[in-house]
Amino acid sequence: MPRRSSGGGYRARPAPARPAPARARSPPPPQTVKHAPPPATAQPQRSAIGSTIADGMTWGAGNAIGHRVVDAIMGPRTIKHETVVSEAAPASPVANSMASASCDTQSKAFQECVNNYGSDISKCQFYMDMLTECKKNSGSMMAA
């Protein structure tokens, strides 16, 4: 029996089809926009003021607990008040007695005026001004 020949054994594949020459291309098809799903409502809606009050109470409680924890670790907080004495502090009692001794005449004159015109103190303004001026001048002399 004679053999059949299959025609050489290897067949060449046909060349792949080449794209057509560049012509006006059509725009790509529009893509569909996907929207986010609506949020799930796990909690019932509260009023705005109620929600604000609840949030404030929650924040306040958390804040208090946090302070307690810090106090437990660091120790309790203490507040110290310091008093700063200014340089313009009143003079010592000795200086005041010396100033009053130097203005003794003006002081007596003012006291007599007040005793005489107690109901109308405006008549004693002159004596009061003299006493104030005397104390001011004697205080500046003591500081020097």
Side-chain angles (χ1 to χ4, degrees):
M1 190 174 253
R3 292 186 181 201
R4 286 202 234 162
S5 166
S6 63
Y10 177 76
R11 289 178 157 191
R13 290 187 194 167
R18 292 188 178 177
R23 292 186 212 163
R25 291 185 180 179
S26 63
Q31 296 179 353
T32 58
V33 178
K34 294 183 180 180
H35 296 286
T41 55
Q43 296 180 352
Q45 296 291 332
R46 292 186 271 177
S47 68
I49 189 72
S51 176
T52 301
I53 291 172
D55 288 345
M57 290 172 60
T58 303
W59 186 87
N63 190 9
I65 291 169
H67 280 163
R68 293 291 182 142
V69 169
V70 170
D71 286 346
I73 295 170
M74 303 292 288
R77 290 170 276 174
T78 57
I79 299 173
K80 296 179 183 177
H81 295 282
E82 296 181 8
T83 306
V84 178
V85 179
S86 65
E87 293 179 18
S92 67
V94 174
N96 282 340
S97 65
M98 292 177 76
S100 64
S102 65
C103 299
D104 196 29
T105 308
Q106 288 85 355
S107 178
K108 284 182 183 176
F110 177 68
Q111 285 299 324
E112 285 178 14
C113 181
V114 169
N115 290 339
N116 291 335
Y117 301 106
S119 61
D120 189 12
I121 198 158
S122 64
K123 293 184 179 183
C124 301
Q125 186 65 43
F126 171 75
Y127 296 107
M128 180 63 187
D129 292 341
M130 286 188 61
L131 180 60
T132 305
E133 188 67 29
C134 179
K135 286 186 177 182
K136 190 185 301 179
N137 288 337
S138 65
S140 65
M141 291 177 80
M142 288 293 176

